[in-house]
Amino acid sequence: MIAVDRDPSPGKKVQLMATCLCDSFFDDVAVATVEVLEYLKCEVTFPEEQTCCGQPAFNAGDWKSSRKVVRHCVKTFAGDEPVVVPSGSCAAMVFHGALLEFEEESDLPEVRQLAGRTWEIADFIVNGLRVAEWPGKFPAKAAFHRSCHTRETNSGAATRTLLESIDGLELVPFGEGEQCCGFGGTFSVTFPNISAAMGKLKLGNALKENPEYLVSGDMGCLLHLGGIATREGKTIKTRHVVQILRDSLRNGGLIP
Amino acid sequence: MKSQPIDTYASELAEDVRRAVADGSASGYDRRAASLFSDFEDPDFLRRTAGDVKQHTLENLDTYLAQTEDRLKENGVEVHWAGDAEAACRAVLKIMRDNGATKVVKSKSMATEEIHLNDFLEREGIESLETDLGEFIVQIDHDHPSHIVKPIIHKNRQGIARSYEREGLGAYDDRPEVITARARKFLRKKYLEASVGLTGANFIVAESGRLVLVTNEGNSRFCLAGTDIHIAVVGIEKVIPRDRDLSLFLSLLGRSATGQQLTVYTEFISGPRAEGQPDGPRQMHVILLDNRRTEVLASNCRDILRCIRCGACLNVCPIYRQASGHAYRSVYPGPVGAVLSPLLAGEKFSELADLPKASSLCGACKEVCPVNIPIPDLLLRLRDKAKHEGIKSPGTPPMGGWAYLASQPTVWRASLSAGRLMNLMPLNLIPVPALRAWTKSRQLPEWRGGAFRKWMKTRKIGGKDS
């Protein structure tokens, strides 16, 4: 497991890390995260100074630039409250990637402190708040793409637990389900040909099962897969897991 | 805009080669999973344990290597230390010259690929013949292996039949059994002509000096059955502490490589022909190869030396499947090669510094690795090393400006709103290479920078303004 040791009872006062992708493109995912957390009686604060987790530069190999952003992140999310992120990728950056690039830095303890209380949203709901069944209903057929940054973390299983318990939601397995979608952050623009080929493969495998929705816990994957689908005129609705959770509550009349 | 060499290679790869590589590696992956998970309750525990054993060995390599040398000598084996490829090649040549030998039959070995032994021996007028079927085909085609376990994964039988025809091995016939039978017939007499059998080793045990070879074709046994001299070229990282550790490593190696519980042949070689033994080589030489392994050991990427060359990371890698092994321009392709090859390149690191970039960091390689090597972490460390050394990386967006933006919240917020201007522009006209690379095959959604922040500020909670 790549996850660090965390407080098993993190409490319900949480800080939201919205992610730069939701900040720029996918505001409804951040909205849904707040609505879902508040439905679970969490008190959500949104530190206004937040920007990005530092991953783009980390993956590009520019660790010096990345550390600058991580330091800003550590300052922004100060305190002891759990930090909840609607992205397996950004979460893994905080609790794994950042530790790697701070190995020889004197402020490693501060980075580790943040790492120890950072949760991907599905992991937080299932393993932090001990919610194993999701109420409401969502009558549809969906393909779930487990994003790669949740490998070796609890997030993949947690997401499945939640989605599989939703009334009416049918999760369809599809071919080569464990394969990467080809997004990979900066990889998507430094290796545009391979990245697109991987995306088409993933999309093709998923579409074979005729799902109405393509669901993932990372908007990076969906930005990429949705972008290919739109370009190729394929009809599939892309949704973040947390949007499905929120819509399930709405459909069940549990939230407005 | 300049592109990454591996991305360009993949885009120009012939479709039948891509298909062959993708199908071959995918089937290897499926068989691996089936054999590991049906036989063991917790294969991950085995992987982690094997990784720990190997890591322990590496961290005490000075002790274990000395022990290995002592045991080998006690067993009647001559031990040679080779600092680099040249020294290893020369050691082989010297043994041959000292014994008046001119022909060598070889079993498959990545270490000898690494030191380009065949080319060296050929230049010295020595006939060095590959006897593994795949390697044999690679050799007659003057090609290079493209996979560490399945060297001709990139070829199809039609092409092989044509090569046979060209080399006078028989009229065109592409049936696999005919291809195999013809190689067998050709090689049989070669085993008898050669006086030296050359192998690598999958493991070498410190406590017993035992060499372990795993193969599926039996050719390594033939190489040692009729010859007088056995030379094994072995990387110093192949040492494991005890014979009993083999139960762990052999259980993992066959399954990870080809989905076999055990390979067809597993040989344990403890020395040259002993008194009273009817056959076997009279001399045995082990050449222990460094070739920059000690440099790797001293680096922050030493974990890569745990590798037992099963090829599982190649089989599972989506980039390898798209690009094929030759895209990596080195003896070791795929995820393991993307770490190992630039490190073994030494002062030529910059020539292979693009390899660690050829990964979406999906982590599938780490998940299947029988010795649990954190390959994505090592790829990232090498990216940092390349950046540190000022090596240019084509297509990688510059990050300095972004880092400034992302550590200045006020500027960040302002640019979130400003980004909305993008929605008004035809994206293909914006001269940012990264954006062009994106929009070539993907639509970009509408920019909604700052929308969430606005919602968060103005929404009502429980009827009250927040």
Side-chain angles (χ1 to χ4, degrees):
Chain A
M1 299 299 281
I2 59 171
V4 290
D5 289 336
R6 284 184 303 207
D7 180 357
S9 316
K12 293 196 165 186
K13 267 180 77 127
V14 307
Q15 302 187 63
L16 171 66
M17 181 186 284
T19 80
C20 62
L21 275 181
C22 293
D23 215 354
S24 325
F25 293 110
F26 305 110
D27 46 303
D28 186 57
V29 175
V31 170
T33 308
V34 174
E35 290 175 337
V36 161
L37 286 169
E38 288 184 345
Y39 168 78
L40 294 168
K41 310 256 183 296
C42 290
E43 191 185 313
V44 184
T45 54
F46 176 76
E48 278 279 329
E49 308 287 280
Q50 65 182 275
T51 57
C52 171
C53 65
Q55 187 170 197
F58 175 66
N59 286 359
D62 188 350
W63 287 16
K64 206 175 139 208
S65 294
S66 175
R67 281 193 290 261
K68 194 167 159 180
V69 180
V70 169
R71 287 194 172 105
H72 174 70
C73 195
V74 169
K75 209 167 68 189
T76 305
F77 293 95
D80 297 314
E81 294 150 5
V83 174
V84 180
V85 200
S87 158
S89 180
C90 308
M93 174 62 200
V94 179
F95 62 64
H96 181 72
L99 299 180
L100 205 63
E101 63 178 352
F102 275 79
E103 250 168 3
E104 286 167 20
E105 301 293 314
S106 59
D107 46 352
L108 176 64
E110 285 91 319
V111 178
R112 200 191 295 282
Q113 197 269 355
L114 176 61
R117 56 189 170 87
T118 299
W119 300 74
E120 183 275 330
I121 178 83
D123 186 15
F124 182 72
I125 294 172
V126 174
N127 300 304
L129 300 179
R130 313 264 164 214
V131 173
E133 269 180 64
W134 198 252
K137 58 184 175 194
F138 198 93
K141 198 161 131 179
F144 168 56
H145 167 58
R146 187 199 70 161
S147 65
C148 291
H149 272 113
T150 63
R151 277 181 215 271
E152 296 192 79
T153 74
N154 299 320
S155 294
T159 308
R160 280 189 186 283
T161 301
L162 292 174
L163 293 181
E164 280 167 3
S165 72
I166 293 177
D167 188 20
L169 182 63
E170 183 197 351
L171 283 192
V172 288
F174 56 92
E176 299 186 76
E178 294 299 296
Q179 281 271 310
C180 173
C181 70
F183 174 62
T186 49
F187 175 81
S188 64
V189 291
T190 43
F191 289 76
N193 296 306
I194 296 179
S195 168
M198 285 164 67
K200 286 174 190 171
L201 206 62
K202 169 70 56 189
L203 201 59
N205 277 323
L207 290 180
K208 263 185 216 153
E209 309 302 328
N210 294 311
E212 198 181 334
Y213 293 93
L214 181 58
V215 180
S216 173
D218 264 296
M219 289 319 291
C221 308
L222 294 179
L223 173 77
H224 170 68
L225 292 171
I228 295 173
T230 311
R231 180 59 60 84
E232 304 210 323
K234 306 259 164 68
T235 43
I236 178 97
K237 297 176 203 158
T238 51
R239 291 287 185 278
H240 191 283
V241 173
V242 84
Q243 289 174 301
I244 302 285
L245 299 182
R246 188 262 320 266
D247 290 355
S248 175
L249 296 175
R250 274 190 190 160
N251 294 342
L254 296 161
I255 57 167
Chain B
M1 163 183 141
K2 279 190 78 181
S3 318
Q4 289 280 336
I6 291 182
D7 196 53
T8 308
Y9 193 95
S11 70
E12 291 166 357
L13 192 65
E15 195 45 43
D16 61 328
V17 176
R18 190 201 316 282
R19 236 347 344 126
V21 172
D23 291 348
S25 43
S27 70
Y29 170 73
D30 293 343
R31 281 198 301 271
R32 170 203 164 268
S35 72
L36 268 175
F37 286 88
S38 65
D39 292 349
F40 299 112
E41 211 170 291
D42 187 2
D44 276 343
F45 173 76
L46 294 188
R47 295 190 317 116
R48 288 195 300 273
T49 308
D52 290 346
V53 171
K54 264 277 183 164
Q55 192 69 21
H56 158 85
T57 316
L58 291 170
E59 274 155 23
N60 298 280
L61 198 58
D62 49 348
T63 314
Y64 285 119
L65 273 177
Q67 193 187 2
T68 305
E69 182 180 24
D70 290 347
R71 293 296 168 277
L72 284 169
K73 284 179 172 166
E74 282 167 25
N75 296 348
V77 178
E78 280 189 50
V79 179
H80 311 257
W81 295 92
D84 57 18
E86 172 83 14
C89 289
R90 295 237 160 258
V92 173
L93 183 66
K94 182 166 189 312
I95 297 164
M96 296 198 63
R97 291 259 160 91
D98 287 351
N99 289 279
T102 56
K103 289 180 181 175
V104 51
V105 277
K106 269 187 85 243
S107 148
K108 184 176 179 323
S109 138
M110 289 311 295
T112 55
E113 290 286 344
E114 181 187 320
I115 60 173
H116 303 289
L117 181 66
N118 285 343
D119 293 342
F120 173 87
L121 292 178
E122 203 176 304
R123 284 197 300 274
E124 298 293 337
I126 282 172
E127 182 188 293
S128 175
L129 187 71
E130 295 287 352
T131 62
D132 170 273
L133 181 58
E135 293 282 346
F136 172 71
I137 292 163
V138 162
Q139 193 176 26
I140 63 173
D141 277 351
H142 303 286
D143 196 358
H144 299 284
S146 71
H147 189 289
I148 58 181
V149 172
K150 298 180 252 186
I152 52 168
I153 191 171
H154 60 291
K155 290 184 188 285
N156 58 38
R157 56 201 169 99
Q158 292 77 15
I160 297 167
R162 284 195 293 274
S163 301
Y164 271 37
E165 197 171 25
R166 185 193 65 222
E167 297 297 316
L169 292 164
Y172 183 94
D173 191 330
D174 63 15
R175 285 173 297 173
E177 59 274 23
V178 173
I179 289 171
T180 311
R182 284 176 174 173
R184 176 188 160 111
K185 192 170 167 229
F186 176 82
L187 291 169
R188 282 292 150 106
K189 57 178 189 297
K190 293 288 183 184
Y191 289 122
L192 296 170
E193 288 170 17
S195 50
V196 175
L198 209 142
T199 70
N202 293 87
F203 304 100
I204 183 163
V205 183
E207 74 171 1
S208 62
R210 209 182 295 277
L211 238 69
V212 183
L213 287 179
V214 304
T215 69
N216 273 320
E217 298 174 20
N219 57 313
S220 67
R221 300 179 73 150
F222 269 112
C223 287
L224 303 181
T227 50
D228 258 346
I229 302 165
H230 175 197
I231 304 175
V233 180
V234 189
I236 53 172
E237 84 284 16
K238 293 285 171 189
V239 173
I240 57 170
R242 306 165 300 180
D243 281 323
R244 59 178 289 190
D245 299 324
L246 288 168
S247 65
L248 182 60
F249 288 106
L250 290 174
S251 292
L252 284 165
L253 179 55
R255 288 181 176 85
S256 303
T258 48
Q260 291 169 286
Q261 292 180 317
L262 272 181
T263 45
V264 179
Y265 298 91
T266 306
E267 288 171 84
F268 303 91
I269 303 169
S270 306
R273 183 196 299 196
E275 204 146 325
Q277 266 186 339
D279 49 29
R282 291 173 199 280
Q283 284 180 36
M284 181 171 166
H285 301 264
V286 169
I287 299 172
L288 290 165
L289 176 71
D290 181 340
N291 208 27
R292 300 194 187 280
R293 282 163 175 73
T294 44
E295 283 175 31
V296 181
L297 195 58
S299 77
N300 62 0
C301 292
R302 72 181 63 88
D303 303 19
I304 200 65
L305 294 177
R306 287 185 217 160
C307 175
I308 58 172
R309 310 282 190 266
C310 71
C313 63
L314 280 65
N315 291 338
V316 78
C317 178
I319 283 85
Y320 177 85
R321 288 182 185 182
Q322 290 291 336
S324 86
H326 288 162
Y328 293 79
R329 314 189 305 282
S330 52
V331 172
Y332 302 103
V336 61
V339 177
L340 193 55
S341 298
L343 288 168
L344 294 181
E347 70 274 10
K348 290 185 177 163
F349 172 77
S350 67
E351 290 174 22
L352 295 176
D354 64 300
L355 268 52
K357 295 259 176 175
S359 168
S360 61
L361 303 170
C362 79
C365 47
K366 175 172 190 268
E367 216 168 44
V368 300
C369 177
V371 282
N372 201 30
I373 301 173
I375 295 177
D377 290 355
L378 304 184
L379 293 169
L380 283 158
R381 285 194 171 127
L382 289 177
R383 292 180 187 186
D384 175 51
K385 175 178 155 76
K387 171 78 185 170
H388 235 65
E389 295 180 9
I391 299 163
K392 293 256 181 299
S393 172
T396 303
M399 289 292 165
W402 168 85
Y404 168 77
L405 207 64
S407 42
Q408 305 289 329
T410 323
V411 192
W412 178 267
R413 283 195 293 266
S415 41
L416 277 177
S417 315
R420 290 187 180 228
L421 287 173
M422 271 198 349
N423 296 331
L424 308 173
M425 290 190 256
L427 291 185
N428 57 339
L429 296 183
I430 301 178
V432 176
L435 194 56
R436 285 214 173 149
W438 177 272
T439 51
K440 197 179 148 209
S441 48
R442 290 157 290 210
Q443 203 75 29
L444 207 59
E446 184 199 352
W447 183 270
R448 295 181 52 82
F452 169 68
R453 289 170 188 259
K454 201 169 152 197
W455 178 85
M456 200 67 190
K457 267 201 188 122
T458 55
R459 78 205 180 102
K460 294 180 176 171
I461 308 171
K464 293 182 297 187
D465 290 343
S466 69

